[in-house]
Amino acid sequence: MSKRYPRTRHPRKSQGALIAKIALAAILLIGLALYTSRNIQPQTDRTANRQTIPGQAQLWKITTPPDLPEIMAHYTGFTVSFNPDMHVPNYVIWELTALEAQADSVTRSGAKFTCDYSIEGCPTTNDYRNSGFDRGHICPAADMKWSRQAMDDCHNMTNIVPQTHKLNSGPWQTLESNCRKWALRDSALIIISGPVLTDHLSRRIGTTGVIVPERFFKVILAPYANPPRGIAFIMNNYDTTGGVQPTATTIDEVETITGFDFFAALPDEIENQVESQSNYQQWQRLKTR
């Protein structure tokens, strides 16, 4: 039987192996740094504009016509300006952060449409039954997957409007999905949306008399992008041909149509810039970092 001896390492081989490992580690670190610099925007760049952009509370201030019926309702994750005469929101505003846009800890399972009896004029779920219209969310449920309370709150009827199914499941839903992708790219979005109540509106549904809008708007601001960006959309409740792109417009145009004044707290130069933009293709082309 052959005798086994302990294996010994040659000093030069051991030293050479160590040098090789160090060199390999250095190469990996350099490669990781190069990949990061090309694919991830530095955090300092993403937050640079926060020094000149007002805080959320100021950006959420919206000036509305003095004769507009309005009840403010604050929920988890969003705020509603509710119209008790027309029984729909004047607008809903929320911030969608990158973390919220990718959250999936909460689903719509178990969430039920409910009436907020503390808000005058809030419709019931029965008002929409057999009406031919969807209970369309203004602040979408998919934006509220980060909180059980936020998910439940967004099913409150103060956040709901009569929408045709073609709009609700078509371009409106596509735009909501786009917003989540844009929030991932731009750190956060401020979104304001609602029905256009300055149109001639005569159709109502339910015993409460919920007004049926002809059009809806969505205003989007990426305040922490570099440079800040803005865009808006106006979608017809009935004619949904053409998809999202033809509905893109400026925030200035939405202000003209609705009588609302958005983002007055922004520095004038930035406000004028973001409210005059409407390049949908550019928003789509910019890469998610």
Side-chain angles (χ1 to χ4, degrees):
M1 181 181 240
S2 62
K3 191 174 181 179
R4 294 181 181 270
Y5 293 92
R7 179 178 296 178
T8 59
R9 292 184 179 179
H10 193 283
R12 290 183 180 177
K13 286 186 177 180
S14 178
Q15 185 178 11
L18 179 60
I19 294 173
K21 289 181 180 179
I22 293 174
L24 178 61
I27 291 171
L28 290 174
L29 287 173
I30 293 171
L32 178 62
L34 288 173
Y35 175 84
T36 301
S37 66
R38 291 177 180 177
N39 293 277
I40 300 176
Q41 186 177 8
Q43 188 66 19
T44 53
D45 289 346
R46 293 173 68 88
T47 58
N49 289 316
R50 293 180 187 268
Q51 297 178 0
T52 57
I53 298 296
Q56 184 196 80
Q58 292 172 285
L59 290 176
W60 282 34
K61 290 181 180 179
I62 300 173
T63 302
T64 59
D67 59 345
L68 181 74
E70 181 178 42
I71 299 174
M72 299 304 297
H74 304 283
Y75 299 101
T76 302
F78 64 98
T79 293
V80 177
S81 164
F82 187 75
N83 191 310
D85 293 349
M86 296 191 175
H87 313 289
V88 293
N90 295 310
Y91 65 83
V92 182
I93 183 168
W94 66 101
E95 182 182 47
L96 180 63
T97 68
L99 288 177
E100 292 167 350
Q102 62 186 341
D104 60 358
S105 59
V106 176
T107 69
R108 292 184 63 171
S109 178
K112 296 181 179 180
F113 292 100
T114 56
C115 174
D116 187 342
Y117 290 101
S118 69
I119 302 298
E120 178 187 350
C122 181
T124 68
T125 58
N126 289 333
D127 286 311
Y128 285 72
R129 188 163 295 164
N130 299 321
S131 67
F133 293 95
D134 286 0
R135 299 180 182 96
H137 291 78
I138 293 297
C139 177
D143 286 8
M144 300 290 113
K145 291 183 177 181
W146 52 275
S147 162
R148 179 75 262 171
Q149 187 60 57
M151 177 63 72
D152 291 341
D153 283 355
C154 82
H155 282 78
N156 199 294
M157 297 302 292
T158 53
N159 180 48
I160 303 301
V161 289
Q163 284 186 328
T164 61
H165 183 68
K166 286 185 176 180
L167 175 64
N168 191 28
S169 63
W172 190 256
Q173 185 179 66
T174 300
L175 179 56
E176 291 173 340
S177 178
N178 286 344
C179 286
R180 287 186 285 276
K181 291 187 291 186
W182 297 338
L184 286 172
R185 178 191 66 205
D186 295 330
S187 179
L189 301 178
I190 302 294
I191 305 174
I192 309 165
S193 185
V196 177
L197 298 180
T198 51
D199 289 337
H200 177 70
L201 304 174
S202 58
R203 184 171 184 178
R204 292 178 181 262
I205 60 172
T207 56
T208 303
V210 182
I211 202 73
V212 178
E214 297 284 329
R215 296 183 293 172
F216 298 92
F217 71 88
K218 192 180 291 283
V219 165
I220 302 164
L221 172 68
Y224 310 127
N226 194 9
R229 286 188 293 274
I231 195 169
F233 299 85
I234 298 176
M235 293 192 176
N236 194 297
N237 200 12
Y238 297 96
D239 181 9
T240 59
T241 57
V244 175
Q245 183 170 338
T247 70
T249 187
T250 64
I251 298 174
D252 283 332
E253 179 65 15
V254 173
E255 288 182 327
T256 298
I257 290 172
T258 62
F260 300 159
D261 183 14
F262 307 110
F263 310 129
L266 286 172
D268 289 342
E269 181 180 353
I270 296 177
E271 182 184 8
N272 293 336
Q273 176 186 348
V274 300
E275 293 192 353
S276 63
Q277 299 170 344
S278 62
N279 193 332
Y280 176 71
Q281 290 183 339
Q282 183 185 50
W283 275 72
Q284 288 289 73
R285 281 197 303 265
L286 292 169
K287 300 297 184 182
T288 299
R289 295 188 182 273

